Amino acid sequence: WWRFDDRNSSGGVVDLAGLYNGTLNGDALINSTGYWGNASHFSGLGYINFGPNITLPNGTASVWVNFNALGTEGYIMSKVISGDGAGEWRLYKNASNSIVFLIEELGAGQGQVVSNNPIQANTWYHIVVVWNTTMEMYINGTKQTSTATVNAGMDITNMTLNIGNNNALSNG
């Protein structure tokens, strides 16, 4: 697991289990302004790349986020193959400022969960997403009403897992 508040001697983001260290790219940085101390910061041009080897057919992701700009998409995590219907796993803020968790797998369909309410700028949110055959989202401990069924997980093997950006975009 990653705390996103520590780097190794080469500047990489440390996986505390030592299996999947990440690489800071662009203007992504780690400093002391996080909710619980240090945190990673992303402007849309920077991100952390964890490579293609992370596959989770089911699991849980837990993040703290604080967006300073609203009205545009802002990616939290993604593992996406470019092209509509090609396969994706992503957690992001959409242009309407709702948090969206989406999984799509070739031939397996798509599941999507959307937050009950839009988020506010400059406010910390704890977001947890859970996926197995059902997708769920919790924001600040409250289960969101939207749920979905999906036949796949984060098992897209040929694309990188990025934190802070959509890996299918030219800057990610």
Side-chain angles (χ1 to χ4, degrees), residues 9 11 22 27 37 56 59 70 72 85 115 129 133 144-145 156:
S9 60
D27 62 358
L56 297 169
L70 299 177
T72 59
S115 62
V129 292
T133 56
Q144 303 301 285
T145 306
I156 304 164

Side-chain angles (χ1 to χ4, degrees), residues 36-164:
W36 297 103
N38 289 349
S40 298
H41 295 264
F42 311 99
S43 70
L45 300 175
Y47 59 98
I48 301 172
N49 179 326
F50 290 96
N53 296 325
I54 298 171
T55 59
L56 297 169
N58 53 62
T60 301
S62 172
V63 297
W64 282 93
V65 299
N66 184 341
F67 290 94
N68 61 9
L70 299 177
T72 59
E73 285 190 351
Y75 278 80
I76 301 166
M77 302 174 70
S78 73
K79 190 168 177 134
V80 179
I81 298 173
S82 295
D84 188 33
E88 55 191 290
W89 186 106
R90 57 184 165 154
L91 177 62
Y92 67 103
K93 175 187 65 70
N94 67 17
S96 299
N97 304 315
S98 293
I99 301 298
V100 179
F101 175 41
L102 183 141
I103 297 176
E104 178 183 88
E105 186 67 28
L106 287 171
Q110 173 180 299
Q112 177 174 288
V113 177
V114 180
S115 62
N116 293 348
N117 299 301
I119 63 166
Q120 303 299 310
N122 302 310
T123 302
W124 283 101
Y125 294 91
H126 182 228
I127 301 169
V128 176
V129 292
V130 179
W131 67 98
N132 42 44
T133 56
T134 302
M135 299 168 58
E136 299 175 342
M137 180 190 310
Y138 298 81
I139 298 181
N140 295 335
T142 301
K143 183 177 178 181
Q144 303 301 285
T145 306
S146 174
T147 61
T149 302
V150 67
N151 296 323
M154 190 194 303
D155 53 356
I156 304 164
T157 57
N158 61 339
M159 294 305 290
T160 62
L161 172 65
N162 282 354
I163 307 294

